[in-house]
Amino acid sequence: MKSTMSVFVALFFLELFTLANMVNLSFCTGYSYVGCIDSEREALLKLKQDLIDPSNRLASWVGDGDCCKWAGVICSDLTCYVLQLSLRNPFDSIGYSTETDLISLTRFFSSYEAHDRLMLGGKINPSLVDLKHLIHLDLSGNNFQGIQIPKCLGSLKNLRYLNLTAARFAGKIPHQLGNLSNLQYLDLSDIKLHVDKFSWLSGLSLLEHLDLSRMNLSKASDLLPVANSLPSLKVLKLSESELHQFAPLSSVNFSSLIALDLSGNYFDSSLFQFGSCFFGHHRLVFLKLSANEFHGQIPHWTWKLDVS
């Protein structure tokens, strides 16, 4: 009986192994680890060829090695597909110094030098779109020297997180970004972009976090109506964006918004009159209004907010 059972088990595992080979199953965990997908390795190598890397941050991106172990690359443990590509400047949070002593100033300027030294530059090779399972892309804090945000980013249909803050892109925001229907986080702050329309945003129904801080939005008259149409939006950051006023909305749909940053603009007290119906009865719990041109009394509808 035991012998028959042993044969049965052996045949079962043999059949399972054969089936796995037939359908080319591969796992990135345990004893069957096989490394990254060949086509994705090639895509990453092409991406590296067009990047300028003065500090050699991408030194591990070489040859026929396992790209899942390369710097900034994270793969699925199950399928080995590249899921995350984080090429952000590792020294991107340098802040502003208020110190005047020599030692503090020396450290401050040294941090700027370290930040600049670690910047990636060059251009983004279209091979990036061959990472078809990519859900997270971070290029923040680099120096792409005024090139336009690549239109090909709009083909990364599975992308959920996109961070381009302070990456020194320029020109117009490509409307192709509106094709990223799975996007939940978008940061385009600190970029000198030409912006007059945001109609492309209306396709991002899952977007929860939108940061357009330090971008000139003075001519983007449709920003608020489009943002108002995003059903999942929770965080909206528009600080230092040359804003003076918002046109009244016929209806308010910010049912999910919990945090709004309008600091560093040119709003006056008329915003409070608008805000009494705009913010007062919704889920907003954080509102930042510092460095504007307000005067008079703080309206009662702000009392329950975390206002700064």
Side-chain angles (χ1 to χ4, degrees):
M1 183 67 179
K2 290 183 178 179
S3 176
T4 303
M5 182 61 70
S6 298
V7 172
F8 175 81
V9 171
L11 289 173
F12 172 79
F13 280 106
L14 178 61
E15 184 176 352
L16 184 63
F17 178 77
T18 303
L19 179 62
N21 284 333
M22 289 175 60
V23 299
N24 195 29
L25 289 176
S26 61
F27 299 94
C28 293
T29 57
Y31 296 104
S32 55
Y33 182 82
V34 295
C36 68
I37 309 300
D38 290 343
S39 60
E40 296 197 330
R41 182 194 301 109
E42 293 303 315
L44 290 170
L45 290 174
K46 289 179 182 178
L47 182 65
K48 179 185 178 180
Q49 287 177 357
D50 283 349
L51 291 175
I52 298 172
D53 182 16
S55 63
N56 209 22
R57 285 168 51 193
L58 306 182
S60 59
W61 292 32
V62 291
D64 58 356
D66 181 4
C67 66
C68 292
K69 296 180 180 179
W70 290 354
V73 180
I74 297 178
C75 296
S76 166
D77 287 337
L78 181 62
T79 66
C80 303
Y81 286 117
V82 176
L83 298 182
Q84 297 187 36
L85 187 58
S86 182
L87 300 181
R88 67 181 302 157
N89 192 322
F91 214 111
D92 63 343
S93 299
I94 55 178
Y96 296 94
S97 175
T98 58
E99 302 295 333
T100 57
D101 64 274
L102 184 59
I103 295 178
S104 296
L105 286 174
T106 300
R107 290 174 178 172
F108 178 62
F109 287 113
S110 294
S111 69
Y112 267 106
E113 292 176 1
H115 175 268
D116 290 349
R117 192 165 53 249
L118 291 169
M119 283 179 170
L120 296 175
K123 62 181 181 179
I124 307 299
N125 192 291
S127 66
L128 182 64
V129 302
D130 292 331
L131 306 179
K132 299 183 184 301
H133 299 267
L134 196 67
I135 62 174
H136 179 113
L137 177 61
D138 191 342
L139 300 175
S140 60
N142 290 299
N143 182 10
F144 290 102
Q145 300 177 322
I147 66 173
Q148 187 179 23
I149 295 174
K151 297 177 182 179
C152 66
L153 295 187
S155 298
L156 297 171
K157 297 298 179 65
N158 289 307
L159 209 61
R160 301 176 193 170
Y161 178 102
L162 178 60
N163 190 345
L164 304 180
T165 183
R168 302 189 185 181
F169 289 106
K172 289 187 176 181
I173 301 176
H175 65 84
Q176 286 84 356
L177 294 187
N179 296 331
L180 301 176
S181 57
N182 288 303
L183 203 63
Q184 299 173 8
Y185 183 107
L186 177 60
D187 192 339
L188 299 177
S189 61
D190 247 336
I191 309 179
K192 294 181 179 180
L193 296 172
H194 173 69
V195 182
D196 52 7
K197 292 183 179 180
F198 277 97
S199 54
W200 57 271
L201 266 177
S202 60
L204 309 183
S205 60
L206 299 181
L207 193 66
E208 298 180 359
H209 182 113
L210 176 62
D211 193 344
L212 303 175
S213 300
R214 292 171 296 282
M215 184 186 299
N216 190 337
L217 303 176
S218 58
K219 296 182 180 179
S221 59
D222 68 337
L223 173 58
L224 193 62
V226 172
N228 186 41
S229 70
L230 300 177
S232 303
L233 192 63
K234 295 179 179 179
V235 177
L236 179 60
K237 295 184 177 182
L238 304 174
S239 65
E240 301 178 46
S241 299
E242 305 291 329
L243 292 170
H244 293 77
Q245 62 182 1
F246 286 135
L249 296 170
S250 57
S251 62
V252 179
N253 301 316
F254 283 106
S255 58
S256 299
L257 196 66
I258 60 175
L260 176 63
D261 185 353
L262 298 176
S263 61
N265 286 293
Y266 300 100
F267 291 111
D268 58 25
S269 299
S270 63
L271 179 71
F272 291 148
Q273 299 173 2
F274 180 51
S276 62
C277 62
F278 181 34
F279 309 118
H281 59 281
H282 292 289
R283 297 177 56 194
L284 199 69
V285 295
F286 177 86
L287 175 61
K288 188 170 185 178
L289 299 173
S290 58
N292 275 284
E293 299 179 358
F294 302 122
H295 60 273
Q297 294 183 339
I298 298 176
H300 67 85
W301 55 265
T302 65
W303 294 352
K304 295 183 179 181
L305 302 178
D306 181 6
V307 182
S308 60

